[in-house]
Amino acid sequence: MPIIQSIEVCAAAVPLDIVTSFSNRSVSTRHYGLVRIRSTDGVEGIGFCYVGSAGGAIFTAAVRDLLAPVLINGDSYAVEGLWQKMNQEALLQGRAGTVMRAISALDIALWDLNAKTHGLPLHKFMGAVELDAVPAYASGGYYLDGKTPQHLGEEMASYVDKGFKAVKMKSGRLSPREEEQRLKAAREAIGPDVELMMDMNNAWADTTEAMQYVRRFEQYDPYFFEEPFLPDDIDNHARLAKLTRVPIATAEIGYGRWYHKELMDKGAASILQTDAAVCGGITEWRRIAQTAASYGLVMCPHWFHDLHAPLVASTPNARYVEFFWNDQVLNFRNLIDRQLSHKDGNVILHQEPGLGFGFDEKFIAKFAKWETIS
């Protein structure tokens, strides 16, 4: 019986080589919360999350002072019970935000630990649908100074040249006319048969503003409109879903099954981008995905392709992994010792036990110092 013997935690503030711009903000540094859980069997599981562009110390405090004491000396197989204990302990400090992300990271580490204990890759440990590979879309199209619509089109086409059959671009920062020019350039560059996603990053305030863009965009056949409004503005998501033929995608910053249930009940999204490093970990992600299946909804998880590839592989109603080609946006790639490969638009699944990768300790040591709780 594997008993949780110790937990290590740190937060790494990792600068980006290039400032990354979205519809309404720019990011120069990313803070990642990292954990390691070791069992009495000598097996170690890892977990992680993105905290934001600041505030990594909040994550460390949540794990050290609030959550780790609940897990120490627990049976690592009691994943559901341990999740309940962490959630109960955190009711006053936060059922969302950084505290829920800390729960997520610890839960991910438990799944990694248990899969490693049994010598199985995570997707097989959870019960696989796909054994070898899963579809992925190439995510990019960020705003940079001097980047023209032609440059955007060239970037999108470069992903198609690498074998991807679906790509995603940012939108919502500029005027409707300017954004249409960007979308037109992207569509013309990739052709009519490649799926083209659009990510607004909460750019619009209401459906009146949204429709100024949507009317221009629909003719270019987007695969989805992502995060058109603030995440808690569920009613406007539902209104827009009735006004456009393009599917609405959201929930990347969604916390817990109850938030997602409201999205589903109100018809606010056709595609859920639920992030297991945000919503409450793999345990909560699986609950949400199973409920979504009953509503006929599709899971296309956000961010962290290394984490989400095995989840997509073990979920019948999951369609795509969001894949980042380089570390200019997802610089978490630098914190791990092995990268996923891809071929013909599919991510190739790791076959080693657990997640199939570990932390790059030399790189992490440049930005963080581990604390141990036992």
Side-chain angles (χ1 to χ4, degrees), residues 223-234:
Y223 183 76
F224 61 56
F225 294 140
E226 176 178 343
E227 280 202 311
F229 309 105
L230 289 171
D232 294 324
D233 192 356
I234 293 175

Side-chain angles (χ1 to χ4, degrees), residues 29 95 272:
T29 301
R95 297 180 297 281
L272 298 183

